[in-house]
Amino acid sequence: MKFLSLCHSSRASSPLPGFIVFFLTCYVHKMESAKFTVIGPGDPVTAVLGEEAVLPCHLSPPMSAANMEVRWFRSEFVSFVHLYHDGKDQYDGQLPEYQSRTELLKAGLTDGNIPLRILSIRLSDEGEYHCFVQDDTFYEETILELRVAGVGSDPLIFVEGHQDGGIRVICQSAGWYPEPEVLWRDLSGRHLPSLSETTSRGDNNLFKTETALIITEHSNQNLSCCIRNTVLNQEKESAVYIADSFFPRVNPWMVALSMILVVLFGFIGLTVYLCKMKGKLTEEVGKRDNEIGWRRTLAPIEEANVTLDPDTAHPQLILSEDQKSVRRGDTWQRLPDNPERFDYWACVLGCEGFTSGRYCWEVDVGDGGYWAVGVARESVGRKGWINRSPEGGIWAVEQWWGQFQALTSPATPLPLSRFPSRIRVCLDCDRGQVTFIDAGDEAPIFTFPPGSIPGERIRPWFLLGRGFRLRLCP
């Protein structure tokens, strides 16, 4: 309990008795003038991002606060969050970040209830608040804490590829506060140990999380990813079932049968081969000539010097200094979240854009792994989940851990005899088509037909799996 007036002691013949008289006089005056105590909650008040929060505060014993001053403030008394004075709310001098967001709830004002409502809760609202009440020269206050929490997006589970004899499964989610707890569970609800877990904060200070798990065939093929906000005790969970077809395996009976057939028919096959070798050679030469001629007909005239645009690169992508190669790392770089940057798929665009003419460029994709190369509209979506098909503004081919396909809708499998290590991308803006060629043997891979690509600015597009690298050939 505090007073704005001073106690005056009477005169005394010696300093010590005078001090005692002064102390007793002030104490008695204070006890006689005590009117109320300001009481708030003992535990922190929890609020959800974007929603409203009510900070409780009341007087004890209950009495009307209608003619008192009620001031809510943070660290500085003068810079207030909300002020009630002279029977009405006062807004001159209110902190700018709280303008049009606060309300003193007056339904219980005559009973001494003076709670504060804050709308559209933000992360910056977290912290201590003072509930200060003054009646004439007497005032009291209490301090309470506001804790902010947010629940993010539903977990996204996807298969990234094969690793260590199993399947590497990834779970991603964003928009959490504070840092969430991530759990893998099997069908019976038992926790599964994760292979890795990465948590980072975006420019909005909300947490993103990515965790990986390796599963093997016939064990934990039913699993779920659960992300929990421990403050709100709320969680979001997604489940997935990994089918047997995703696991590479060899049937021993088929292997034995194949060996027997080789032994039985080896001589017959050799004879047939020798007899047809000449004809086959002639046919292959003719086919190669046709393919080379076909390529020369469709190939763009100009060799484009493509470089990678760092402003569009996903935070996990690391570009070389000459912007001719890119690799995907394990951690998120602290990069500005500009509108041009991909923030979900690990994509990057080429700096160059084409609206007319014919162009080609080559990409060294290496051996195996997960990657996709092609072209995309200038206006292709950059944020969140994107449709990797012509409907989403992307025309590309993809190698996905032993599978090769064109990203049509639905995807078109490409049964090649061998996977290319270097892809030539041929863009014909005038005809509205793009062709992919194996730069190693000049064999055509796939062509999106004429008219597939709209008449707008088109840019090279690349997607990388974890730990892999793509390089633009000179």
Side-chain angles (χ1 to χ4, degrees):
M1 292 171 285
K2 297 92 178 175
F3 293 87
L4 300 181
S5 61
L6 297 175
C7 295
H8 299 280
S9 61
S10 59
R11 294 184 178 180
S13 58
S14 63
L16 183 57
F19 173 77
I20 295 174
V21 170
F22 171 79
F23 176 79
L24 291 175
T25 303
C26 290
Y27 179 77
V28 170
H29 177 68
K30 182 177 181 181
M31 293 298 295
E32 290 176 349
S33 304
K35 294 182 178 181
F36 57 80
T37 302
V38 180
I39 299 177
D43 297 324
V45 177
T46 300
V48 179
L49 279 171
E51 299 183 8
E52 68 176 44
V54 175
L55 305 183
C57 186
H58 67 275
L59 304 182
S60 178
M63 64 182 65
S64 176
N67 297 318
M68 299 182 185
E69 175 182 311
V70 179
R71 180 185 297 259
W72 286 88
F73 65 95
R74 300 290 300 270
S75 57
E76 297 182 8
F77 182 85
V78 176
S79 302
F80 59 85
V81 174
H82 193 92
L83 176 61
Y84 174 85
H85 184 59
D86 292 336
K88 60 182 178 179
D89 296 312
Q90 309 287 338
Y91 296 103
D92 290 341
Q94 185 183 29
L95 288 169
E97 59 266 31
Y98 289 97
Q99 290 178 1
S100 302
R101 295 178 53 227
T102 62
E103 178 187 5
L104 186 70
L105 301 181
K106 303 180 180 67
L109 194 62
T110 55
D111 296 324
N113 291 315
I114 47 175
L116 178 69
R117 174 187 287 160
I118 304 178
L119 305 176
S120 303
I121 289 295
R122 308 169 182 173
L123 280 183
S124 58
D125 296 334
E126 189 169 64
E128 289 187 345
Y129 288 76
H130 295 248
C131 177
F132 172 92
V133 183
Q134 180 176 333
D135 182 22
D136 194 16
T137 61
F138 179 80
Y139 66 92
E140 273 284 5
E141 69 173 346
T142 188
I143 301 176
L144 59 154
E145 180 184 356
L146 177 64
R147 183 178 298 172
V148 176
V151 177
S153 60
D154 290 331
L156 174 66
I157 304 177
F158 61 93
V159 175
E160 191 175 57
H162 297 105
Q163 182 176 338
D164 299 334
I167 298 291
R168 181 185 177 97
V169 184
I170 303 295
C171 176
Q172 293 178 339
S173 184
W176 295 83
Y177 188 86
E179 184 174 346
E181 180 183 34
V182 183
L183 298 171
W184 288 100
R185 295 171 176 160
D186 62 11
L187 188 60
S188 62
R190 293 177 301 180
H191 293 173
L192 303 173
S194 60
L195 177 67
S196 64
E197 185 174 324
T198 302
T199 304
S200 61
R201 297 182 76 163
D203 292 340
N204 56 6
N205 278 328
L206 299 182
F207 285 93
K208 306 181 202 178
T209 182
E210 177 176 304
T211 181
L213 178 73
I214 293 181
I215 61 173
T216 57
E217 190 175 8
H218 306 311
S219 65
N220 303 324
Q221 290 179 231
N222 284 287
L223 71 156
S224 65
C225 176
C226 173
I227 304 183
R228 175 186 299 159
N229 186 308
T230 55
V231 174
L232 299 174
N233 198 25
Q234 295 182 20
E235 63 183 38
K236 289 194 173 183
E237 187 171 13
S238 296
V240 68
Y241 171 72
I242 308 300
D244 292 343
S245 58
F246 280 89
F247 296 91
R249 58 187 184 276
V250 178
N251 191 321
W253 291 105
M254 292 299 295
V255 173
L257 180 59
S258 299
M259 294 178 63
I260 293 173
L261 290 176
V262 169
V263 173
L264 291 178
F265 298 101
F267 292 107
I268 298 175
L270 180 61
T271 303
V272 173
Y273 172 77
L274 292 174
C275 292
K276 294 184 178 180
M277 185 172 57
K278 182 177 179 180
K280 187 175 180 180
L281 255 173
T282 303
E283 181 182 351
E284 288 294 328
V285 171
K287 181 179 179 182
R288 178 62 55 83
D289 290 341
N290 290 337
E291 289 173 349
I292 293 175
W294 177 87
R295 176 193 173 274
R296 289 173 178 168
T297 300
L298 295 180
I301 295 174
E302 184 176 344
E303 293 282 344
N305 182 24
V306 175
T307 55
L308 302 172
D309 184 355
D311 291 336
T312 67
H314 183 276
Q316 283 185 295
L317 296 184
I318 303 170
L319 276 58
S320 62
E321 290 187 5
D322 61 0
Q323 298 175 213
K324 299 290 284 185
S325 68
V326 57
R327 66 180 178 87
R328 181 175 175 184
D330 293 327
T331 59
W332 289 56
Q333 305 172 82
R334 295 188 64 85
L335 299 174
D337 188 20
N338 49 287
E340 299 84 10
R341 190 177 308 284
F342 292 94
D343 68 353
Y344 186 84
W345 291 101
C347 302
V348 62
L349 294 178
C351 293
E352 296 70 26
F354 310 104
T355 56
S356 62
R358 297 190 295 172
Y359 305 88
C360 64
W361 58 91
E362 291 187 6
V363 186
D364 188 344
V365 297
D367 298 322
Y370 174 48
W371 53 261
V373 298
V375 298
R377 291 191 311 230
E378 176 84 70
S379 59
V380 68
R382 315 293 174 86
K383 305 302 181 183
W385 182 276
I386 58 176
N387 184 358
R388 297 175 299 126
S389 71
E391 286 77 4
I394 294 173
W395 296 262
V397 293
E398 173 187 75
Q399 178 171 298
W400 184 82
W401 297 97
Q403 300 182 23
F404 198 69
Q405 58 187 6
L407 295 181
T408 54
S409 183
T412 301
L414 301 175
L416 304 180
S417 58
R418 69 177 185 86
F419 291 151
S421 60
R422 180 179 290 192
I423 300 289
R424 173 176 282 262
V425 184
C426 302
L427 173 64
D428 190 332
C429 296
D430 300 328
R431 300 185 65 188
Q433 77 173 33
V434 61
T435 299
F436 300 91
I437 297 171
D438 186 339
D441 60 5
E442 305 292 339
I445 297 174
F446 186 80
T447 298
F448 287 88
S452 300
I453 301 177
E456 65 174 274
R457 187 177 176 87
I458 301 298
R459 297 173 66 177
W461 175 84
F462 310 88
L463 169 68
L464 283 81
R466 186 185 301 276
F468 290 94
R469 180 192 301 269
L470 296 177
R471 182 174 63 87
L472 290 160
C473 303

